[in-house]
Amino acid sequence: MPDLTRGPVLTGIVQVAAPLALANLLQQAYLLVDSAVVGRYVGVTGLAAMGAAQPLYSILGSLFTGVSSAFAVRLGQLAGAGRRDDPSALLALAVCTAAWSALCAGAAAVGAAPLLALAGVRGEVAGEARTFVVTLCSGMLAVYALGAVCAVLTGRGDARRATSLMITASALNGLFAWLFVGPGGFGLAGAALAVVAANAVTAAIGLTRLLAERRGRPPGPPVSAATVRAELSRGLRIGAPMAVQYLLIGVGVLTLVWIITPYGEEALAALTVVSRLELLTSALFLNLSGALMVFTAQNSGAGLTARIREGVRRSAWLGGALAVGVSVLLLTCRGPIAALFSGSAGTRAVTERYLLITAPFFLAYALTVVLHGWFNGITRAVVPLVCTVLSLGVIRVPLSYVLGHAWGVDGVMWATVLGWAVGLAYTLSAVRRTVRGRPAVARPRWRRQPGAGRVARAESGAER
């Protein structure tokens, strides 16, 4: 597992980002394959139902996504301070995983139908979407267990094994989706069962390996209910802004479903396709952001402020170059890409139009995401949260409604571009204020840990 406090800056970041990006690209490729399988076997109605169900799943999963990211930051700080295997932090993450899995299952069973009705989804599409969400959330423990294992590995900087687990899950997802939806004939329920089964198998593999590694190692710091509660409180405090950010994204996408639903099933099906394409194209930048977050956390634990700033600068340049390449690819291949997912001419036309309008401005989104990794790494997750509120809640969603009435579906697409632009402007302003106002990390305080030598432990003002 690499020590990100030493060696070439960009090389260390890429060593974490590249394997995770590869795994996430394969995961998003599975989602595209899943959409293609549903589109071919279930039809436009099934594809539209997946689009309607996606924001519900995002809303339910948002809190855990934020908390698991926070624990990755915390474990990175502990790794930088020489406490890589702190058991209290690991137990706190396990408690969060189990508790939120149970809450999600109950919330899906009770709230799926009312939320779909609130979004204006009716009839067969609503029934299929509810079936998908309830089936998926019933097995959410498997999904979140895999997420927790990957958070532990990512926080330690062990991107290779996190990658291998994510690739395994993606491969199993693709196989199970085809078996359950195609020959099995289970429809959208089969697609949800495929996700649960693949994550259950992969999470079991990951947990077995983590437990095997603990055997024979020296015991970590003493564990008590108080230390677990302290780590749980710290993780929730760091993760709360991230969780709210992801929650707002899910609510925003659900609102967009409400806005687009009156345009018909073909438009809603196209929304499903483009949302999956956005997940695929953003995987590079989200993982670069995640690698920068872990890099920042480890160097924060070691008190290496100048190294953090160099990492931010190099990551921003790399993210910008990748964004330009992705934009050119989407623009030149938009026709074949749209044709992969649906035989409906209307759905293909909307998908192509979306790519034509938004792809030239993808650089704004990419830079915003990468810079958010730095803010999360220094435990200033409020900045990405405010950015999401501003770009999505204040700009994109309201303008989607207003411009949609004026220009139709094209207005919704232009609202996306304007939201990205405002998000980047706010993020750059926050970067400037942070750099000028105070150092990126607090000065390290030295304290002796039980059973260990003298180690540096930096705690930011947000943690005190």
Side-chain angles (χ1 to χ4, degrees), residues 384-422:
L385 171 59
V386 173
C387 180
T388 299
V389 172
L390 183 62
S391 63
L392 182 64
V394 176
I395 302 297
R396 183 177 177 181
V397 171
L399 283 183
S400 293
Y401 181 82
V402 174
L403 298 181
H405 277 73
W407 298 340
V409 179
D410 280 11
V412 178
M413 300 173 188
W414 281 110
T416 299
V417 172
L418 292 172
W420 289 348
V422 171

Side-chain angles (χ1 to χ4, degrees), residues 3 10 12 31 54 58 92 105 139 160 175 177 292 305 309 344 367 377 442 448:
D3 182 358
L10 187 59
L31 291 176
Q54 180 63 41
S58 299
R160 292 184 178 181
L175 174 62
L292 180 59
T305 303
R309 291 180 176 174
S344 167
L367 289 177
R448 185 175 298 276

Side-chain angles (χ1 to χ4, degrees), residues 43-119:
V44 173
T45 299
L47 204 55
M50 288 190 73
Q54 180 63 41
L56 299 183
Y57 167 74
S58 299
I59 290 172
L60 292 174
S62 59
L63 289 176
F64 182 77
T65 301
V67 170
S68 64
S69 298
F71 275 100
V73 171
R74 179 58 183 158
L75 291 167
Q77 292 174 339
L78 293 171
R83 296 170 55 196
R84 188 180 293 271
D85 293 316
D86 191 294
S88 297
L90 297 176
L91 286 174
L93 176 58
V95 170
C96 286
T97 302
W100 190 242
S101 299
L103 288 173
C104 278
V110 174
L115 284 174
L116 287 167
L118 186 63

Side-chain angles (χ1 to χ4, degrees), residues 12 41 49 91 116 164 193 209 249 284 311 324 357 383 418 433 444 452:
Y41 283 98
L91 286 174
L116 287 167
S164 67
L193 287 172
R209 290 179 179 177
I249 292 173
L284 288 172
V324 172
I357 291 175
V383 171
L418 292 172
R433 291 195 307 270

